[in-house]
Amino acid sequence: MTALPCYRWRLAPDGLATRRQLRALGLRPGGQDVAAQLERPRRRRGPLVAYLYRVDRAKPVRPMTPNRAAALSAAMLARRTCPNCRTDAGYCIPRSLGMCVTCHDTPPTRKDTPP
């Protein structure tokens, strides 16, 4: 097992990029191994680490197909639909609440009391 080269923040050589930088260039790592790592020191905790990939070995991003676009929109609709009121909230439902903010803030009505 070989150790990865480690570079300090903003001192990585040309030809290496993080996943986000590759994505901005329209590329993806494409199954290649990590070429190096980048470390950003922090005061009270361990350093932040980012993995670097070789740009010359990166592959182009796969194009969005109609089926992938439909699956992505269906998944996002499921994340926006409130399980209580079954409406599209217009935002992703917080997992901490489990329902839209309106349903969470509305006090429950008691149906077992006689009129």
Side-chain angles (χ1 to χ4, degrees):
M1 184 169 146
T2 62
L4 289 176
C6 185
Y7 299 102
R8 290 189 49 94
W9 192 251
R10 298 186 189 267
L11 295 178
D14 292 336
L16 296 178
T18 62
R19 282 182 177 267
R20 283 191 180 191
Q21 291 168 339
L22 288 176
R23 188 63 179 208
L25 296 172
L27 301 171
R28 61 185 170 97
Q32 66 173 301
D33 291 332
V34 175
Q37 69 182 15
L38 189 67
E39 286 190 356
R40 179 179 180 198
R42 296 191 291 182
R43 290 179 186 231
R44 298 176 196 259
R45 293 181 280 179
L48 288 174
V49 176
Y51 296 114
L52 299 172
Y53 300 92
R54 291 181 47 177
V55 177
D56 59 346
R57 287 189 181 175
K59 295 180 179 177
V61 176
R62 294 185 186 117
M64 181 67 73
T65 63
N67 288 341
R68 286 178 65 194
L72 183 61
S73 64
M76 292 305 294
L77 178 64
R79 288 184 65 191
R80 290 190 316 260
T81 304
C82 175
N84 272 0
C85 60
R86 299 280 184 212
T87 60
D88 185 355
Y91 54 87
C92 289
I93 305 294
R95 292 181 65 196
S96 60
L97 300 179
M99 61 186 79
C100 67
V101 176
T102 307
C103 289
H104 182 264
D105 291 344
T106 305
T109 58
R110 295 193 51 147
K111 295 182 179 180
D112 57 347
T113 58

